[in-house]
Amino acid sequence: MTTFLGPDFLLDTPEAQRLYHEVAADLPIVDYHNHLPPAEIAEDRHWDNLGQLWLGHDHYKWRVMRWAGIPEDRITAPATDREKFDAFAEAMPRLVMNPVHHWSHLELWRYFGLEGTVLSPDTADQVWDHVNAMLPGKEFGARGLLRQMNVKFLGTTDDPLDDLAHHKKLQGDPELVVAPSFRPDRVFQIEAAGFVPYIQALATLTGSEIRDFDGLAEALLQRLDHFVAHGCRAADHGIELLDCGAEYPSSQLDDVLRRRLDGEVLDSADAAALRAALFVTLGRAYAARGIVMQLHIGPLRNNSSRLLERIGRDAGTDSMNDFAIAAPLNALLDRLDRSDELPAMVLYSVNPAHNAILATTAGNFQDGSRPGKIQAGTAWWFNDQLDGMQRQMNDLAQMGLISTFLGMLTDSRSFLSFTRHEYFRRLLCRMIGQWHKDGLLPGDQTALNDLVRDISYRNAAKWFLD
Protein backbone atom coordinates (compact mmCIF):
# COMPACT_ATOMS: atom_id res chain seq x y z
CA MET A 1 0.00 0.00 0.00
CA THR A 2 1.31 3.45 -0.94
CA THR A 3 1.38 5.89 1.99
CA PHE A 4 1.13 9.68 1.87
CA LEU A 5 4.59 11.02 0.91
CA GLY A 6 6.06 7.64 1.90
CA PRO A 7 9.61 6.47 1.12
CA ASP A 8 8.63 5.54 -2.43
CA PHE A 9 6.40 8.55 -3.10
CA LEU A 10 6.25 8.96 -6.92
CA LEU A 11 8.65 6.04 -7.41
CA ASP A 12 6.36 3.57 -9.13
CA THR A 13 8.92 1.32 -10.86
CA PRO A 14 11.89 -0.59 -9.45
CA GLU A 15 14.28 1.48 -11.57
CA ALA A 16 12.78 4.74 -10.30
CA GLN A 17 13.23 3.55 -6.74
CA ARG A 18 16.84 2.56 -7.35
CA LEU A 19 17.68 5.80 -9.14
CA TYR A 20 16.21 7.99 -6.42
CA HIS A 21 17.41 6.17 -3.31
CA GLU A 22 20.86 5.20 -4.60
CA VAL A 23 21.68 8.12 -6.88
CA ALA A 24 19.57 11.27 -6.50
CA ALA A 25 18.58 11.51 -2.84
CA ASP A 26 21.90 12.63 -1.37
CA LEU A 27 23.20 14.84 -4.17
CA PRO A 28 24.11 18.42 -3.24
CA ILE A 29 21.87 21.30 -4.31
CA VAL A 30 22.77 24.10 -6.70
CA ASP A 31 19.92 26.61 -6.42
CA TYR A 32 20.76 29.13 -9.10
CA HIS A 33 17.68 31.36 -8.78
CA ASN A 34 15.97 32.30 -5.52
CA HIS A 35 14.91 35.33 -3.53
CA LEU A 36 16.47 34.58 -0.15
CA PRO A 37 17.65 37.75 1.67
CA PRO A 38 21.47 37.79 1.71
CA ALA A 39 21.42 39.67 5.02
CA GLU A 40 19.66 36.77 6.73
CA ILE A 41 22.29 34.32 5.46
CA ALA A 42 25.21 36.56 6.42
CA GLU A 43 23.78 37.15 9.89
CA ASP A 44 22.70 33.50 10.28
CA ARG A 45 19.23 34.64 11.24
CA HIS A 46 17.22 32.60 13.75
CA TRP A 47 13.44 32.83 13.91
CA ASP A 48 11.28 33.18 17.00
CA ASN A 49 8.65 30.68 15.90
CA LEU A 50 7.36 28.58 13.01
CA GLY A 51 4.78 31.16 11.96
CA GLN A 52 7.50 33.75 11.44
CA LEU A 53 9.75 31.32 9.56
CA TRP A 54 7.07 29.66 7.48
CA LEU A 55 4.59 32.41 6.64
CA GLY A 56 6.53 35.66 6.87
CA HIS A 57 7.26 36.09 3.15
CA ASP A 58 5.67 33.11 1.42
CA HIS A 59 3.03 34.42 -0.99
CA TYR A 60 2.44 30.87 -2.29
CA LYS A 61 0.96 30.06 1.13
CA TRP A 62 -0.91 33.38 1.41
CA ARG A 63 -2.58 32.76 -1.95
CA VAL A 64 -3.93 29.30 -1.11
CA MET A 65 -5.03 30.44 2.35
CA ARG A 66 -7.25 33.11 0.78
CA TRP A 67 -8.60 30.52 -1.66
CA ALA A 68 -9.43 28.25 1.30
CA GLY A 69 -11.58 31.00 2.82
CA ILE A 70 -9.15 32.49 5.35
CA PRO A 71 -9.72 36.25 5.79
CA GLU A 72 -6.78 38.58 5.21
CA ASP A 73 -6.62 39.65 8.86
CA ARG A 74 -5.49 36.10 9.69
CA ILE A 75 -2.95 35.84 6.84
CA THR A 76 -0.95 39.08 7.00
CA ALA A 77 -1.28 41.98 9.46
CA PRO A 78 -2.66 42.40 12.10
CA ALA A 79 -2.61 38.69 12.98
CA THR A 80 0.08 37.38 15.32
CA ASP A 81 2.49 34.67 14.17
CA ARG A 82 0.50 32.06 16.09
CA GLU A 83 -2.78 33.23 14.61
CA LYS A 84 -1.32 33.03 11.10
CA PHE A 85 -0.01 29.53 11.79
CA ASP A 86 -3.37 28.38 13.15
CA ALA A 87 -5.08 29.78 10.06
CA PHE A 88 -2.66 27.86 7.84
CA ALA A 89 -3.29 24.67 9.81
CA GLU A 90 -7.02 25.26 9.38
CA ALA A 91 -6.61 25.68 5.63
CA MET A 92 -4.27 22.71 5.17
CA PRO A 93 -6.93 19.95 4.75
CA ARG A 94 -8.43 22.00 1.89
CA LEU A 95 -5.11 22.24 0.05
CA VAL A 96 -4.94 18.58 -1.04
CA MET A 97 -3.21 18.08 -4.40
CA ASN A 98 -1.94 21.65 -4.49
CA PRO A 99 1.88 21.44 -4.32
CA VAL A 100 1.84 23.62 -1.18
CA HIS A 101 0.21 20.67 0.60
CA HIS A 102 3.07 18.37 -0.42
CA TRP A 103 5.83 20.93 0.09
CA SER A 104 4.64 21.94 3.55
CA HIS A 105 4.61 18.40 4.84
CA LEU A 106 8.00 17.64 3.31
CA GLU A 107 9.31 20.75 5.08
CA LEU A 108 7.93 19.64 8.45
CA TRP A 109 9.18 16.11 7.99
CA ARG A 110 12.65 16.67 6.53
CA TYR A 111 13.75 19.65 8.61
CA PHE A 112 12.03 18.90 11.90
CA GLY A 113 11.63 15.12 12.07
CA LEU A 114 7.82 15.14 12.02
CA GLU A 115 7.50 12.26 9.53
CA GLY A 116 3.95 11.01 9.35
CA THR A 117 2.38 14.02 11.06
CA VAL A 118 -0.30 15.66 8.91
CA LEU A 119 -0.93 19.30 9.75
CA SER A 120 -4.50 20.18 10.71
CA PRO A 121 -6.23 22.02 13.55
CA ASP A 122 -5.96 18.78 15.56
CA THR A 123 -2.16 18.64 15.25
CA ALA A 124 -1.43 22.38 15.25
CA ASP A 125 -0.39 22.55 18.92
CA GLN A 126 1.90 19.52 18.57
CA VAL A 127 3.61 20.91 15.46
CA TRP A 128 3.93 24.43 16.89
CA ASP A 129 5.48 23.28 20.15
CA HIS A 130 7.77 20.70 18.54
CA VAL A 131 9.22 23.05 15.93
CA ASN A 132 9.52 26.06 18.21
CA ALA A 133 11.52 23.99 20.71
CA MET A 134 14.03 23.20 17.93
CA LEU A 135 14.40 26.66 16.38
CA PRO A 136 17.00 28.07 18.83
CA GLY A 137 19.42 25.29 17.84
CA LYS A 138 22.40 25.95 15.60
CA GLU A 139 21.01 23.77 12.79
CA PHE A 140 17.83 25.85 12.55
CA GLY A 141 19.29 29.23 11.78
CA ALA A 142 19.52 30.35 8.16
CA ARG A 143 22.86 28.67 7.53
CA GLY A 144 21.94 25.52 9.43
CA LEU A 145 18.76 25.06 7.39
CA LEU A 146 20.78 25.35 4.19
CA ARG A 147 23.36 22.91 5.53
CA GLN A 148 20.65 20.38 6.38
CA MET A 149 19.66 20.23 2.71
CA ASN A 150 23.28 20.11 1.47
CA VAL A 151 22.94 23.40 -0.44
CA LYS A 152 26.25 24.29 -2.09
CA PHE A 153 25.28 27.28 -4.24
CA LEU A 154 22.67 30.03 -3.97
CA GLY A 155 22.03 32.61 -6.67
CA THR A 156 20.18 35.47 -4.99
CA THR A 157 18.26 38.23 -6.79
CA ASP A 158 19.74 41.72 -6.42
CA ASP A 159 19.09 45.17 -7.80
CA PRO A 160 21.96 46.98 -9.57
CA LEU A 161 21.84 49.65 -6.85
CA ASP A 162 22.47 47.13 -4.05
CA ASP A 163 25.80 47.64 -2.29
CA LEU A 164 26.28 43.85 -1.85
CA ALA A 165 27.79 44.33 1.61
CA HIS A 166 26.24 41.08 2.83
CA HIS A 167 27.61 39.19 -0.17
CA LYS A 168 31.05 40.55 0.65
CA LYS A 169 30.75 39.04 4.14
CA LEU A 170 29.80 35.70 2.60
CA GLN A 171 32.65 35.49 0.08
CA GLY A 172 35.22 32.80 0.72
CA ASP A 173 32.90 30.47 2.65
CA PRO A 174 34.21 26.94 1.96
CA GLU A 175 30.79 25.33 2.55
CA LEU A 176 28.42 27.58 0.61
CA VAL A 177 28.71 29.92 -2.35
CA VAL A 178 26.18 32.77 -2.23
CA ALA A 179 26.36 34.78 -5.44
CA PRO A 180 24.43 37.93 -6.34
CA SER A 181 22.43 37.89 -9.57
CA PHE A 182 22.17 41.16 -11.48
CA ARG A 183 18.46 42.04 -11.81
CA PRO A 184 18.07 45.28 -13.82
CA ASP A 185 14.28 45.14 -14.27
CA ARG A 186 13.66 48.75 -13.28
CA VAL A 187 15.90 50.03 -16.07
CA PHE A 188 13.68 48.20 -18.56
CA GLN A 189 10.43 49.57 -17.12
CA ILE A 190 10.77 52.67 -19.23
CA GLU A 191 7.12 53.67 -19.10
CA ALA A 192 6.86 53.31 -15.29
CA ALA A 193 6.52 56.34 -13.03
CA GLY A 194 9.65 55.33 -11.12
CA PHE A 195 11.94 55.11 -14.15
CA VAL A 196 13.34 58.65 -14.00
CA PRO A 197 14.03 58.62 -10.23
CA TYR A 198 15.71 55.24 -10.63
CA ILE A 199 18.03 56.49 -13.37
CA GLN A 200 18.82 59.52 -11.22
CA ALA A 201 19.73 57.20 -8.33
CA LEU A 202 21.91 55.13 -10.67
CA ALA A 203 23.68 58.30 -11.83
CA THR A 204 24.33 59.42 -8.26
CA LEU A 205 25.67 56.03 -7.20
CA THR A 206 28.03 55.74 -10.17
CA GLY A 207 29.09 59.40 -10.25
CA SER A 208 27.71 59.71 -13.76
CA GLU A 209 25.72 62.24 -15.69
CA ILE A 210 23.25 60.07 -17.57
CA ARG A 211 21.93 62.12 -20.48
CA ASP A 212 22.57 59.78 -23.40
CA PHE A 213 22.45 56.06 -24.09
CA ASP A 214 26.20 55.53 -23.75
CA GLY A 215 26.10 57.19 -20.33
CA LEU A 216 23.32 54.86 -19.21
CA ALA A 217 25.19 51.84 -20.55
CA GLU A 218 28.44 52.85 -18.84
CA ALA A 219 26.67 53.29 -15.50
CA LEU A 220 25.02 49.88 -15.78
CA LEU A 221 28.30 48.20 -16.72
CA GLN A 222 30.01 49.86 -13.77
CA ARG A 223 27.42 48.25 -11.49
CA LEU A 224 27.69 44.93 -13.32
CA ASP A 225 31.45 44.91 -12.71
CA HIS A 226 30.76 45.62 -9.04
CA PHE A 227 28.58 42.52 -9.02
CA VAL A 228 31.26 40.46 -10.79
CA ALA A 229 33.76 41.53 -8.14
CA HIS A 230 31.35 40.10 -5.54
CA GLY A 231 31.05 36.72 -7.25
CA CYS A 232 28.15 37.28 -9.66
CA ARG A 233 27.59 34.31 -11.98
CA ALA A 234 24.20 35.24 -13.47
CA ALA A 235 21.90 38.06 -14.49
CA ASP A 236 18.15 37.75 -14.24
CA HIS A 237 15.56 39.69 -16.23
CA GLY A 238 11.92 39.63 -15.18
CA ILE A 239 10.01 40.36 -18.39
CA GLU A 240 6.36 41.32 -18.06
CA LEU A 241 6.10 42.37 -21.71
CA LEU A 242 8.42 40.93 -24.36
CA ASP A 243 8.88 43.16 -27.37
CA CYS A 244 11.67 43.72 -29.86
CA GLY A 245 11.80 47.28 -31.08
CA ALA A 246 13.53 48.64 -34.14
CA GLU A 247 17.31 49.08 -34.17
CA TYR A 248 17.73 52.83 -33.69
CA PRO A 249 21.06 54.56 -34.38
CA SER A 250 22.88 56.02 -31.37
CA SER A 251 21.67 59.57 -31.99
CA GLN A 252 18.04 58.45 -32.03
CA LEU A 253 18.48 56.39 -28.84
CA ASP A 254 20.02 59.45 -27.18
CA ASP A 255 17.02 61.55 -28.18
CA VAL A 256 14.54 58.97 -26.88
CA LEU A 257 16.32 58.67 -23.54
CA ARG A 258 16.63 62.45 -23.08
CA ARG A 259 12.96 62.96 -23.79
CA ARG A 260 12.01 60.29 -21.27
CA LEU A 261 14.35 61.73 -18.61
CA ASP A 262 12.75 65.12 -19.21
CA GLY A 263 9.38 63.61 -18.31
CA GLU A 264 7.94 62.91 -21.73
CA VAL A 265 5.62 59.93 -22.22
CA LEU A 266 7.16 57.86 -24.99
CA ASP A 267 5.19 56.11 -27.69
CA SER A 268 5.38 52.32 -27.73
CA ALA A 269 7.81 52.18 -30.66
CA ASP A 270 10.38 54.40 -28.96
CA ALA A 271 10.08 52.58 -25.65
CA ALA A 272 10.49 49.21 -27.37
CA ALA A 273 13.56 50.38 -29.28
CA LEU A 274 15.20 51.65 -26.10
CA ARG A 275 14.39 48.42 -24.28
CA ALA A 276 15.83 46.30 -27.11
CA ALA A 277 19.03 48.36 -27.17
CA LEU A 278 19.44 47.85 -23.42
CA PHE A 279 18.85 44.11 -23.84
CA VAL A 280 21.52 43.81 -26.52
CA THR A 281 24.02 46.01 -24.66
CA LEU A 282 23.71 44.03 -21.46
CA GLY A 283 23.63 40.70 -23.28
CA ARG A 284 26.96 41.52 -24.91
CA ALA A 285 28.38 42.54 -21.54
CA TYR A 286 27.24 39.28 -19.98
CA ALA A 287 28.85 37.28 -22.78
CA ALA A 288 32.13 39.15 -22.36
CA ARG A 289 32.16 38.46 -18.61
CA GLY A 290 30.94 34.88 -18.68
CA ILE A 291 27.65 35.78 -16.98
CA VAL A 292 24.60 33.55 -17.52
CA MET A 293 21.54 35.53 -18.66
CA GLN A 294 18.19 34.33 -17.34
CA LEU A 295 14.87 35.52 -18.80
CA HIS A 296 11.74 35.07 -16.69
CA ILE A 297 8.95 35.83 -19.14
CA GLY A 298 5.27 36.51 -18.81
CA PRO A 299 3.81 37.15 -15.34
CA LEU A 300 0.85 39.48 -15.01
CA ARG A 301 1.59 41.13 -11.69
CA ASN A 302 -0.31 42.75 -8.83
CA ASN A 303 -3.76 42.14 -10.26
CA SER A 304 -5.62 42.93 -7.04
CA SER A 305 -5.36 46.67 -6.50
CA ARG A 306 -7.05 46.13 -3.12
CA LEU A 307 -4.24 43.89 -1.87
CA LEU A 308 -1.53 45.93 -3.60
CA GLU A 309 -2.65 48.98 -1.64
CA ARG A 310 -2.92 47.02 1.60
CA ILE A 311 0.16 44.76 1.47
CA GLY A 312 2.30 45.91 -1.46
CA ARG A 313 3.96 43.92 -4.22
CA ASP A 314 4.51 40.15 -4.02
CA ALA A 315 1.28 39.61 -2.12
CA GLY A 316 0.22 36.52 -4.06
CA THR A 317 -1.95 38.23 -6.70
CA ASP A 318 0.16 37.55 -9.79
CA SER A 319 -0.91 35.19 -12.58
CA MET A 320 -0.02 34.01 -16.08
CA ASN A 321 -0.14 36.32 -19.06
CA ASP A 322 -0.83 35.13 -22.59
CA PHE A 323 0.99 37.42 -25.01
CA ALA A 324 2.99 36.05 -27.95
CA ILE A 325 6.69 35.54 -27.30
CA ALA A 326 8.14 33.52 -30.20
CA ALA A 327 8.94 36.28 -32.70
CA PRO A 328 10.35 38.91 -30.31
CA LEU A 329 12.38 36.33 -28.35
CA ASN A 330 14.00 34.88 -31.44
CA ALA A 331 14.67 38.36 -32.83
CA LEU A 332 16.39 39.53 -29.65
CA LEU A 333 18.55 36.43 -29.41
CA ASP A 334 19.46 36.76 -33.08
CA ARG A 335 20.71 40.31 -32.58
CA LEU A 336 23.24 38.95 -30.10
CA ASP A 337 24.03 35.76 -31.99
CA ARG A 338 24.79 37.34 -35.35
CA SER A 339 27.86 39.06 -33.87
CA ASP A 340 28.75 35.98 -31.80
CA GLU A 341 27.93 37.84 -28.56
CA LEU A 342 25.09 35.69 -27.24
CA PRO A 343 25.67 34.76 -23.59
CA ALA A 344 24.76 31.43 -22.08
CA MET A 345 21.07 31.80 -21.39
CA VAL A 346 18.16 30.20 -19.50
CA LEU A 347 14.63 30.85 -20.79
CA TYR A 348 11.56 30.48 -18.57
CA SER A 349 7.92 31.28 -19.15
CA VAL A 350 5.19 31.30 -16.53
CA ASN A 351 2.75 30.20 -19.25
CA PRO A 352 3.08 26.44 -19.96
CA ALA A 353 1.73 27.01 -23.47
CA HIS A 354 5.20 28.42 -24.18
CA ASN A 355 7.15 25.25 -23.26
CA ALA A 356 7.56 24.13 -26.87
CA ILE A 357 8.41 27.68 -28.00
CA LEU A 358 11.23 27.89 -25.45
CA ALA A 359 12.57 24.45 -26.33
CA THR A 360 12.59 25.11 -30.06
CA THR A 361 13.96 28.62 -29.63
CA ALA A 362 16.82 27.25 -27.52
CA GLY A 363 17.65 24.87 -30.35
CA ASN A 364 18.00 27.74 -32.82
CA PHE A 365 21.01 29.26 -31.06
CA GLN A 366 23.20 26.39 -29.88
CA ASP A 367 26.76 26.94 -31.07
CA GLY A 368 28.80 24.01 -29.72
CA SER A 369 30.64 26.14 -27.14
CA ARG A 370 29.03 24.26 -24.25
CA PRO A 371 26.30 21.60 -23.96
CA GLY A 372 22.91 23.28 -23.90
CA LYS A 373 24.28 26.83 -24.06
CA ILE A 374 20.73 28.12 -24.47
CA GLN A 375 18.46 26.40 -21.97
CA ALA A 376 14.73 25.86 -21.87
CA GLY A 377 14.54 26.46 -18.14
CA THR A 378 12.68 24.44 -15.55
CA ALA A 379 8.94 24.68 -15.04
CA TRP A 380 8.49 28.01 -13.32
CA TRP A 381 6.18 29.41 -10.64
CA PHE A 382 2.66 28.03 -11.16
CA ASN A 383 4.19 25.18 -13.16
CA ASP A 384 6.62 23.74 -10.60
CA GLN A 385 4.09 21.09 -9.66
CA LEU A 386 3.96 17.49 -10.82
CA ASP A 387 2.05 17.88 -14.09
CA GLY A 388 3.81 21.14 -14.97
CA MET A 389 7.30 19.77 -14.42
CA GLN A 390 6.49 16.58 -16.29
CA ARG A 391 5.11 18.52 -19.28
CA GLN A 392 8.17 20.75 -19.38
CA MET A 393 10.62 17.84 -19.22
CA ASN A 394 8.72 15.81 -21.82
CA ASP A 395 8.78 18.74 -24.23
CA LEU A 396 12.46 19.34 -23.60
CA ALA A 397 13.33 15.64 -23.97
CA GLN A 398 11.58 15.32 -27.31
CA MET A 399 12.30 18.74 -28.83
CA GLY A 400 15.76 19.27 -27.39
CA LEU A 401 18.22 17.47 -25.11
CA ILE A 402 17.12 16.72 -21.58
CA SER A 403 20.62 15.39 -20.85
CA THR A 404 21.92 18.99 -20.79
CA PHE A 405 19.07 20.31 -18.60
CA LEU A 406 20.03 22.43 -15.56
CA GLY A 407 17.24 21.00 -13.43
CA MET A 408 15.37 22.50 -10.49
CA LEU A 409 15.49 25.79 -8.62
CA THR A 410 13.32 27.10 -5.78
CA ASP A 411 12.54 30.69 -6.89
CA SER A 412 11.58 31.13 -3.25
CA ARG A 413 11.85 33.52 -0.32
CA SER A 414 11.62 30.67 2.20
CA PHE A 415 14.58 28.96 3.86
CA LEU A 416 12.46 25.81 4.09
CA SER A 417 11.81 25.53 0.35
CA PHE A 418 14.70 23.24 -0.57
CA THR A 419 12.62 20.09 -0.25
CA ARG A 420 11.30 21.15 -3.66
CA HIS A 421 14.52 19.69 -5.07
CA GLU A 422 13.52 16.33 -3.56
CA TYR A 423 10.07 16.72 -5.13
CA PHE A 424 11.67 17.37 -8.52
CA ARG A 425 14.22 14.57 -8.23
CA ARG A 426 11.56 12.02 -7.32
CA LEU A 427 9.54 13.03 -10.38
CA LEU A 428 12.64 12.92 -12.59
CA CYS A 429 13.46 9.39 -11.41
CA ARG A 430 9.84 8.37 -11.94
CA MET A 431 9.94 9.60 -15.54
CA ILE A 432 13.28 7.97 -16.31
CA GLY A 433 12.14 4.76 -14.62
CA GLN A 434 9.01 4.70 -16.77
CA TRP A 435 10.96 5.44 -19.96
CA HIS A 436 13.26 2.57 -19.04
CA LYS A 437 10.31 0.24 -18.37
CA ASP A 438 8.75 1.16 -21.73
CA GLY A 439 11.95 0.37 -23.60
CA LEU A 440 12.57 4.00 -24.53
CA LEU A 441 16.00 4.10 -22.84
CA PRO A 442 18.88 1.64 -22.95
CA GLY A 443 19.22 -0.49 -19.82
CA ASP A 444 22.76 0.68 -19.02
CA GLN A 445 22.58 1.52 -15.30
CA THR A 446 25.75 3.62 -15.41
CA ALA A 447 24.25 5.78 -18.18
CA LEU A 448 20.96 6.15 -16.27
CA ASN A 449 22.83 7.06 -13.10
CA ASP A 450 24.80 9.72 -14.97
CA LEU A 451 21.61 11.15 -16.49
CA VAL A 452 20.05 11.57 -13.04
CA ARG A 453 23.23 13.03 -11.54
CA ASP A 454 23.65 15.46 -14.43
CA ILE A 455 20.10 16.83 -14.35
CA SER A 456 19.84 16.89 -10.55
CA TYR A 457 23.21 18.46 -9.82
CA ARG A 458 26.21 18.20 -12.13
CA ASN A 459 24.99 20.27 -15.08
CA ALA A 460 24.11 23.21 -12.84
CA ALA A 461 27.34 22.79 -10.88
CA LYS A 462 29.36 23.11 -14.11
CA TRP A 463 27.52 26.35 -14.95
CA PHE A 464 27.56 28.00 -11.54
CA LEU A 465 30.26 26.37 -9.38
CA ASP A 466 33.12 25.32 -11.67
Side-chain angles (χ1 to χ4, degrees):
M1 177 180 177
T2 303
T3 58
F4 174 61
L5 299 180
D8 290 330
F9 170 60
L10 295 179
L11 308 175
D12 53 5
T13 64
E15 190 63 14
Q17 294 165 12
R18 186 192 70 79
L19 286 169
Y20 180 73
H21 293 302
E22 297 181 16
V23 180
D26 295 326
L27 290 171
I29 288 174
V30 172
D31 200 76
Y32 49 95
H33 174 70
N34 62 74
H35 297 272
L36 294 182
E40 295 184 1
I41 306 170
E43 296 161 4
D44 195 19
R45 180 184 175 181
H46 280 67
W47 289 266
D48 296 332
N49 57 64
L50 178 57
Q52 188 183 83
L53 170 61
W54 222 11
L55 298 164
H57 303 288
D58 196 336
H59 58 77
Y60 281 89
K61 293 186 175 77
W62 298 351
R63 183 181 178 92
V64 293
M65 288 169 74
R66 294 181 192 118
W67 204 327
I70 305 297
E72 195 65 34
D73 286 351
R74 298 180 64 202
I75 299 171
T76 52
T80 65
D81 293 335
R82 179 60 202 258
E83 288 167 342
K84 294 172 187 176
F85 171 78
D86 284 343
F88 188 53
E90 179 183 319
M92 183 60 73
R94 299 177 187 151
L95 307 188
V96 290
M97 291 308 297
N98 187 287
V100 172
H101 190 263
H102 292 152
W103 296 341
S104 299
H105 286 100
L106 288 174
E107 289 163 12
L108 289 177
W109 297 8
R110 301 297 185 260
Y111 288 97
F112 302 108
L114 283 166
E115 282 82 354
T117 300
V118 176
L119 182 61
S120 71
D122 292 338
T123 60
D125 286 344
Q126 172 200 349
V127 170
W128 179 262
D129 293 341
H130 177 92
V131 173
N132 288 350
M134 300 177 78
L135 286 180
K138 179 180 178 181
E139 288 305 299
F140 298 95
R143 296 180 64 80
L145 293 172
L146 296 170
R147 192 160 45 242
Q148 283 194 54
M149 292 294 112
N150 201 15
V151 178
K152 297 301 183 184
F153 178 88
L154 289 173
T156 62
T157 305
D158 309 274
D159 188 274
L161 302 188
D162 290 348
D163 64 12
L164 305 182
H166 299 294
H167 286 91
K168 186 174 183 178
K169 286 180 63 176
L170 290 163
Q171 283 186 300
D173 188 316
E175 292 186 348
L176 174 68
V177 175
V178 181
S181 296
F182 191 74
R183 179 80 176 234
D185 291 5
R186 294 178 67 186
V187 178
F188 285 78
Q189 294 165 357
I190 295 162
E191 299 92 337
F195 176 79
V196 174
Y198 186 83
I199 299 304
Q200 291 170 342
L202 176 64
T204 299
L205 180 63
T206 57
S208 308
E209 182 179 2
I210 300 176
R211 291 296 296 171
D212 57 26
F213 186 82
D214 284 347
L216 175 56
E218 288 170 8
L220 285 170
L221 298 190
Q222 183 187 132
R223 297 308 299 164
L224 177 60
D225 287 335
H226 178 71
F227 272 59
V228 171
H230 286 76
C232 175
R233 320 283 173 92
D236 184 46
H237 291 239
I239 299 175
E240 296 179 34
L241 174 64
L242 184 63
D243 51 16
C244 184
E247 295 183 78
Y248 283 10
S250 296
S251 59
Q252 194 171 358
L253 287 174
D254 293 344
D255 176 68
V256 169
L257 179 60
R258 287 192 198 102
R259 287 190 283 112
R260 181 66 188 96
L261 292 176
D262 289 339
E264 184 175 322
V265 176
L266 300 179
D267 64 33
S268 59
D270 284 348
L274 183 55
R275 209 167 6 250
L278 286 165
F279 184 98
V280 171
T281 298
L282 286 173
R284 288 171 175 163
Y286 302 149
R289 292 160 176 79
I291 299 297
V292 177
M293 186 177 191
Q294 300 183 77
L295 307 184
H296 283 88
I297 302 168
L300 189 63
R301 296 187 183 275
N302 304 305
N303 294 290
S304 170
S305 54
R306 171 180 56 84
L307 287 174
L308 178 63
E309 182 176 346
R310 175 171 176 167
I311 301 168
R313 298 175 62 86
D314 301 317
T317 66
D318 305 333
S319 59
M320 298 177 187
N321 211 334
D322 60 356
F323 57 84
I325 71 167
L329 179 60
N330 276 275
L332 287 168
L333 270 57
D334 184 61
R335 287 190 189 177
L336 291 164
D337 186 61
R338 66 194 185 199
S339 59
D340 198 22
E341 294 175 288
L342 181 65
M345 190 173 288
V346 190
L347 311 174
Y348 315 84
S349 176
V350 73
N351 188 337
H354 294 156
N355 286 348
I357 292 171
L358 297 186
T360 55
T361 298
N364 294 338
F365 298 100
Q366 306 296 344
D367 62 10
S369 62
R370 70 161 80 185
K373 175 183 174 179
I374 309 301
Q375 287 274 323
T378 191
W380 173 43
W381 203 337
F382 297 107
N383 304 306
D384 60 357
Q385 29 76 9
L386 298 176
D387 288 348
M389 291 189 290
Q390 182 163 315
R391 282 192 299 265
Q392 187 271 336
M393 285 191 278
N394 271 322
D395 283 345
L396 176 57
Q398 296 183 66
M399 298 182 192
L401 295 183
I402 197 169
S403 59
T404 67
F405 181 34
L406 295 182
M408 185 59 169
L409 50 81
T410 61
D411 189 34
S412 175
R413 291 164 176 78
S414 171
F415 280 87
L416 297 182
S417 65
F418 293 90
T419 55
R420 297 180 197 177
H421 284 265
E422 174 185 340
Y423 200 63
F424 169 85
R425 289 172 180 181
R426 285 178 176 271
L427 176 63
L428 173 67
C429 291
R430 178 188 194 178
M431 293 175 67
I432 293 174
Q434 189 62 52
W435 292 337
H436 171 266
K437 180 181 177 181
D438 292 344
L440 296 171
L441 294 177
D444 180 345
Q445 286 194 344
T446 299
L448 296 179
N449 294 351
D450 283 341
L451 183 60
V452 169
R453 288 192 183 100
D454 286 345
I455 297 170
S456 298
Y457 170 68
R458 291 193 305 207
N459 289 342
K462 288 175 184 175
W463 278 48
F464 297 101
L465 273 177
D466 289 357

